[in-house]
Each structure stands twice: as structure tokens, then as C-alpha cells.
Amino acid sequence: MLLLFFFFFFVLGVPVSAQTSLKIRGVNLGGWLVLEKWIKPSLFAEWDPFDPTSPKDEWTYCERLGKSECQKRLDEHWDTWVSVEEMNDLADAGITHVRVPVGWWITGDVEEGEPYVSGQWKYFARMTRWARERGIEVWLDLHAVPGSQNGFDNSGRLGNATWDASTRNVNRSLAAIETIVRRVDAEGLRNDVTGFGLLNEPDQHIDYWLMLDFYNKAYDTIRTVLGDGISIYIGDMFSPQSFNWFWHAGNPIRATNVFLDSHIYACFVDDLKAMTPKQHVTQVCRFERAHINQCCWDGWPPQPTELSRFVGEWTAAYDQTPSPELELASPESRPLTDDRKRFLLQYVIAQMVTFEATPEESAPYLSGAPGLDFHGWFFWNFRMEADVYREWDYLRGVREGWIPKLERNVDVSDQLGLTCEDLEQEAQDCTDGVVSPFPPIPGWTGVPCAESPPRRVLAQTILSALALFSFMALLAALLILARANRLLQKIPVSSRRLRRAVCFCCPGDYDAIKQRAPDDESPASSSFYGANAQILPTTEAPISAIA
């Protein structure tokens, strides 16, 4: 079933807001306008990755280089990391959307003591024009805000999450959103930029009510400038059920064309990293589906609210956590074997099928609970620099054959002829040759396969050959018996004893021969066999004489 190659469902140039039944099939342009060291490690290659004083994010990168050198290097990076060739490849692969992480400093709001440099916007606008020419929609995502909302490197600065500790941080974030959407409007990009994410992955310890107030104000700002045509989405804080009441029925405001974004990763959790391929597929098809389906509902029986669902980040990586130690590994230590490639394809398709499922498709997996219409996904990431991160690289997956090319306006299951149930049945139920967690999990030994793949193939080949041989032997025996039967019917047998001897293997025919060969063996009896029949002598002859 590895010859599964195809996929997808979307209408070119039509904003999601105008065609909400159509699915998002997108990629993230990560590591571009907000640096992430692991995505493009060559930018940080001059420093020892294990030195705690080495740059780890965009803040420390520019801080170490100084603004002049940082500007020079980042201008080159912004100009080359996303090129027209990549956009051509994405369009050819059937991608309909790109999600673009940006930091607040893209607006030029860089205060004294902040090392960031600006100048990203012209490259963003150029990419947006390329996307428009190829029928790809652009969704902006505010990935970094003053003080950091999560303390991750992708928020601009690794460390503490202090965004909610200062009203000034919140106000600067709101001002950045207004500046960005006004520039989108002024430069005629409102039909190309069709989505806006208000805050990427806010930490679970962020002040919940302050964050919701920020969402309401940002929503009003975007609607005032760009109207209802642009989709607005928020992160689920890895707790989707916490948003069942939000932006519903005027609570606290009446919102339309809004989405809740979930991020699904297995490679950061040891319990998931240790799973067999079959368990990974089941985890996606059943448990991640149920996780996404926790929001957004209201009333009894439950009815979907205005807050629709999609997955803003997912990947094909399943058992290895990104780290400097992993980056030291040789690509030869984890080759793309047939078994690994087969599983990657199964794992990717399982997520695609699940993340754009209709309520009817989800029903068998939800134990009687109602299902939502999932609106699609964005894979993380569109490309990676290091070979060790191949499973995060969408375009590489397409080239290597473990990510299918997508067909627009075609349902994934229809295109591939596969369902989650099919993928669960096909996936390998052991870890040999596929799963090797990194960092190593203490005490993990894996689930060994009953036989190694070569022995399985050899055994199956031998069994198939034996079955074919047995069938041919049986067929030959039946043909021989049929031929012998026809010959026996033409032989006049002279005695009861001889008749029994030659018919020992065909008792059903013995009686017929007996009736046609009477004990009176005179020449007159030859008329029974035909005029030209030869009459055997009455003396008993050995069986060999008849042959």
C-alpha cells in the first residue's frame, strides 16, 4: 500500500471566511522572520552549541553580533530562506496556505536595550505576492511579543514568560497588531493575507483573563481595519476544553470567522516516543481526534459554537526530540529504510485524514459523542537545514516519497482509498527498525518483531511457493486420473478379477465397466465396444500387459 500517492481539498483564491467548508492544507514558514536555531543551525555555526553563553535565539544572536552585523546577516537570511523556488514546490505539492511566524519588532518597534533589527516586511510582502500568483493564502501569526508569552526560543527570547507581568507589554503587542493589519490594508494585501493568529502558544501560567481581554481588543482592531473577511485564530494553551464558552453567543463579544488552534506533537513526550508504529497511528486517529474535539461546544445536546477548529502545527517526527546532542548524530545512524519510510507515510496520512475530518468521518472514533468539522492543518516546517531533522521537512518528505502530493478539491480518503482504520491495520506492531527514541528513555527496550523483516519476507515467499507447488501437483494428479479413467472405459476387460485390478483407484467407474463387459466374452460381445474394438483373449494377463 506504499503506492498511495495523492491528496487534497481547497479552492484557489477564495478566503477561508467565504468558503468555510473547504480545508486548510498548509505549511509553516518557520525559522524565517523569527529565528529558531535548530531550523537553520548554520546561522549559529561559529559558536559552541554546548557553551551556555552561546547565542540560542534571535535576541542573543543579535546581542552577540551587534546590530550592524546582525542586520547584514539577517537581510541575507530573509532574502534566501524562502525563495520563489520553494513557493513553486509548495504549490506543486498541493499546498493551499502558509502560516508565517512574525515578531512584534517587524513593525520597527524596537526600544533601547532590545537588540532586534527590523527590515523583514519587504521580504514578507514579496513572498505574499508569490503566494498570490500560485493560489496560496497567507496566515500571519504573532509568534513573539514583548516579555515573551512562553519563554521558548520561538518567542524571540529563551527564558521566562513575563508578557503578562506588564501592561506595557500587552499594549505594545496590541499596537504591533494594529500596525501590521494597517500595513496589510495599505499595501493591497487584504485578499492575500486571509488569516491572523493573535498569540502563539501562550504559556499555561499566563494570566487567563488578561489574555482573553487581549484577544477581544485585538479582535476589534483587526475587524475595524480589515473587516470580517480575515480569519482570526487563537491558541488553545494545550487545553482546548478551556475555551468552550469563549467567543460564543456574545460572551464576552460576538465573534465571527474565528478559530481555535491546536498543536499536536508526539516527539516531546516519552510515553508517546516509545510507542510502536501501530500505536502512533491509533494515538492520532483516536486520541488526538478526541483531544481536538473537546472544543468548541455549547448546550445539550451539544452544538458547535462559533469557534471552529484546525491544527496549526504538527510534524512527521515521532520519537526524537530536537536538541544540540541530536544534531551531532550522523544521518547514516538513522537511514531512511523501507520500514521507516512506510511508517512515515502512514503516520503523515493518518494526521492529514484526522485533522481535516468531517463529523461523519469522526463518528466511529468518538464513542457516540458528536464530532466537529475539522478545518485542516499546517505542517511544521516547510523546510529544514539539517539532515537529522528530515522528519520536520515537508518539501523533503514530498521529494523522498513519504509525504503524498496533494490534489486540490479531492477528499484525502477518496484520493488515497484509505481510512484511519486501514492505516491502523497496516502499521507495524513492533518497534524494530523504526522506533529509536532520543534522548534514550531509561529502561526502554522496545517491542521486538517476531521475525526480522528479511525473514518475514523469506517465510512468506517459501509459503507462497509451497502453496503453488501443492496446487499444481494436485491439478496434475487430477488430470492423470481423468486420463486413466478415459482409457479404462475403452478397454474390454475379460475377467471380474482383472476388472477389479485395473479399477482399484476409480471404484465409481468399476460398476459401469462391469455392466459393459459381461462374463460371456464371445466375439459377439465386441459389438458393445464398437465394430473396430479388439477382443482380448480369455486368459488372464498381468496388469502390465494392458498398459
Side-chain angles (χ1 to χ4, degrees), residues 263-284:
H263 296 174
I264 307 295
Y265 292 116
C267 62
F268 296 104
V269 181
D270 281 356
D271 287 347
L272 302 183
K273 288 160 59 177
M275 286 180 169
T276 66
K278 184 182 291 290
Q279 289 171 332
H280 273 293
V281 173
T282 298
Q283 175 70 22
V284 169

Side-chain angles (χ1 to χ4, degrees), residues 112-277:
E112 185 176 353
E114 295 175 339
Y116 298 118
V117 297
S118 300
Q120 302 93 331
W121 185 267
K122 68 178 181 181
Y123 301 104
F124 168 77
R126 181 182 67 178
M127 181 280 301
T128 301
R129 291 192 296 272
W130 290 339
R132 175 200 306 154
E133 293 164 359
R134 289 154 183 81
I136 296 174
E137 298 182 36
V138 177
W139 282 30
L140 278 161
D141 189 87
L142 189 58
H143 240 61
V145 290
S148 178
Q149 74 279 16
N150 54 33
F152 300 156
D153 61 343
N154 58 46
S155 71
R157 188 177 190 181
L158 189 65
N160 296 323
T162 62
W163 172 74
D164 60 339
S166 165
T167 302
R168 179 166 176 76
N169 289 340
V170 176
N171 289 339
R172 289 180 73 192
S173 305
L174 290 169
I177 290 174
E178 181 172 5
T179 300
I180 290 169
V181 296
R182 289 197 180 280
R183 195 158 186 179
V184 166
D185 185 45
E187 297 189 14
L189 303 177
R190 67 157 62 203
N191 291 326
D192 310 308
V193 179
T194 59
F196 200 116
L198 303 184
L199 193 62
N200 179 66
E201 293 183 353
D203 185 79
Q204 290 181 325
H205 299 100
I206 288 288
D207 186 320
Y208 180 69
W209 299 106
L210 181 146
M211 181 185 67
L212 298 186
D213 183 63
F214 166 77
Y215 286 162
N216 290 330
K217 291 175 180 176
Y219 176 91
D220 283 340
T221 296
I222 294 172
R223 287 285 177 259
T224 298
V225 177
L226 296 179
D228 294 334
I230 185 170
S231 299
I232 297 174
Y233 65 95
I234 58 176
D236 68 0
M237 300 179 76
F238 303 101
S239 179
Q241 66 273 19
S242 300
F243 292 86
N244 269 307
W245 67 275
F246 188 63
W247 276 350
H248 170 57
N251 186 5
I253 63 174
R254 180 167 296 281
T256 58
N257 191 15
V258 287
F259 292 82
L260 185 68
D261 170 18
S262 288
H263 296 174
I264 307 295
Y265 292 116
C267 62
F268 296 104
V269 181
D270 281 356
D271 287 347
L272 302 183
K273 288 160 59 177
M275 286 180 169
T276 66

Side-chain angles (χ1 to χ4, degrees), residues 377-392:
W377 46 264
F378 290 88
F379 184 94
W380 190 283
N381 192 33
F382 82 112
R383 64 180 291 203
M384 301 293 289
E385 187 176 60
D387 286 339
V388 74
Y389 294 129
R390 74 161 11 114
E391 293 159 8
W392 297 81

